[in-house]
Amino acid sequence: MSTSTQRLFSKVPRAALLLCGLIMCLAAVAGALDPSVISGTSVLAPDGITSIRVDFGGFHLGLGLFALYGVAFPSFLKPGLTAVCTTLSLVVLTRLAGMGLDGVNDAQTTILSRELVPFALSWIGLLCLVRQPKPAIPA
């Protein structure tokens, strides 16, 4: 692998985790401030709206900040990417299972398309991090 390719591979994991963190923090603010962005008008009861605020606000904000922590502290890059990748993989798999069990509608496909971006970024970042050549240990 050439030096320029190695440099690119070394920047991709941090950039991917940064984008994931920012996307999740922005989604959290949107979900917490206006739950109808997520649920449309399907959840009208106060406890349902609060549940949407927590699930799409608090949870995403926590995961987004966790990702940004991994960007800020290089020793936490791999655990940050692993946590985000694992969590988003389970979110996407659960969404797909729910769509298979409960049926597909426009809201579900819209939400899935939004979840696929950070999901893909986290996998790209983790794979680039794992494929980075290890520095030689001097004898």
Side-chain angles (χ1 to χ4, degrees):
M1 194 179 317
S2 71
T3 306
S4 61
T5 305
Q6 286 177 348
R7 270 191 242 131
L8 176 66
F9 264 78
S10 69
K11 293 180 183 190
V12 169
R14 285 189 75 205
L17 193 57
L18 174 65
L19 289 172
C20 285
L22 292 174
I23 289 168
M24 287 183 290
C25 286
L26 290 172
V29 171
L33 294 178
D34 185 9
S36 68
V37 168
I38 306 298
S39 66
T41 57
S42 62
V43 181
L44 299 176
D47 58 333
I49 292 171
T50 298
S51 181
I52 296 294
R53 286 184 203 278
V54 170
D55 293 347
F56 288 92
F59 173 75
H60 282 75
L61 184 58
L63 191 58
L65 292 175
F66 191 76
L68 294 176
Y69 186 84
V71 173
F73 299 97
S75 64
F76 203 67
L77 181 61
K78 187 173 184 178
L81 271 169
T82 302
V84 169
C85 190
T86 301
T87 303
L88 293 176
S89 294
L90 292 170
V91 165
V92 168
L93 287 173
T94 304
R95 173 87 49 211
L96 291 171
M99 291 168 78
L101 294 169
D102 305 326
V104 180
N105 61 32
D106 290 341
Q108 291 286 9
T109 55
T110 299
I111 293 170
L112 177 63
S113 67
R114 292 177 186 161
E115 292 166 343
L116 286 173
V117 172
F119 163 79
L121 283 170
S122 67
W123 270 102
I124 290 167
L126 189 59
L127 291 173
C128 286
L129 184 66
V130 170
R131 293 202 33 112
Q132 283 182 6
K134 306 292 182 234
I137 300 172

